[in-house]
Amino acid sequence: MVAPARLVAALEEARIGTTFNQYAEGPRAPLLRARLAAYLEARRTARTLLVGEAPGYRGARVSGIPFTSERQLTGTGPAEATATIVHRVLAELGLEEDVLLWNVVPTHPGTERSNRAPTPAEVAAGLRFLEPLAAGRSLVAVGRLAERALGPPSVCHPSHGGAKAFRSGLASVTSRADLQGERRVRLGTHPSGDPKHVPLMVASELVRFELLAGERDDELSSAQTPERGASPAAAALCAGSEAASPDAFVAYPSDPSGRGARRMVELRDHGCLAPGRA
């Protein structure tokens, strides 16, 4: 995992669309940076990364910690229903110390009194902060936007009556065997070049590709049948990203041409993906 201080420093410099960067703007920014760095350090060994959409105006915009309100930290200040539910469920399931909380977009889209949905471009820009945190951890998306950005597994967002479904979903996905092992990820540029099409599926530890530099998706039609362990076809799934090590992998089934989804099916059928992953 990247050093917490280094990630927080990069986040301080970030400008993600028109979101409010609570780690750079306002008199509380130094406090929020210190809190986030301490939180990341405390959860350094957490095996699961629980990823929501974006900070809320009553949550991480004020507290600096994803899915956490100021009231939970200090006993004063605004409370947030989602934060209350998330921490209660984690405590009930005995997962508090083994889950790192984060958001697809780490800075706040909205105002001091309201939230808005992040734009596709803001989602794409926010993913670079998720990558180093995801390395070696199992990812669980919270809500539809996070699921669209990261793929399954996902759980229902706890807001608007979703608390029960959130709890049962989290209990289910964290007990599944395929979430117990290590999962490394690399998030790169989508083959279409369109920020609306961000990486949708992150492969599990059951998939191990050697991603080669310089291969593109349009070359895949002439590629040989994929083989487990190393394949030019697997390299094309990374289309345009930097060279990756053999234990970094990514898939883009959201490619609007349909090629990404077809490649996932092709790789599954040839034994490169576990059943149900395509």
Side-chain angles (χ1 to χ4, degrees), residues 129-156:
F129 295 99
L130 185 149
E131 178 184 358
L133 296 175
R137 292 188 168 106
S138 300
L139 272 72
V140 179
V142 180
R144 293 178 180 177
L145 186 145
E147 182 182 19
R148 289 197 299 270
L150 303 175
S154 65
V155 294
C156 178

Side-chain angles (χ1 to χ4, degrees), residues 188-205:
T189 303
H190 189 275
S192 69
D194 188 336
K196 293 195 297 294
H197 299 284
V198 295
L200 280 190
M201 182 178 290
V202 180
S204 76
E205 77 282 358

Side-chain angles (χ1 to χ4, degrees), residues 112-131:
E112 291 182 3
R113 297 181 179 276
S114 67
N115 300 318
R116 65 165 174 81
T119 67
E122 289 166 348
V123 169
L127 286 174
R128 72 184 180 95
F129 295 99
L130 185 149
E131 178 184 358

Side-chain angles (χ1 to χ4, degrees), residues 43 86-88 90-91 93-101:
R43 294 293 184 274
V86 167
H87 283 277
R88 185 188 72 213
L90 290 176
L93 297 178
L95 296 172
E96 191 93 48
E97 301 300 317
D98 202 32
V99 169
L100 175 63
L101 302 170

Side-chain angles (χ1 to χ4, degrees), residues 18-56:
T18 60
T19 63
F20 174 80
N21 187 341
Q22 64 271 26
Y23 305 107
E25 303 176 54
R28 287 171 56 85
L31 170 64
L32 301 195
R33 292 196 300 271
R35 281 181 176 176
L36 182 61
Y39 172 72
L40 294 175
E41 184 62 40
R43 294 293 184 274
R44 183 181 282 273
T45 61
R47 294 177 295 176
T48 299
L49 184 63
L50 194 64
V51 185
E53 175 181 310

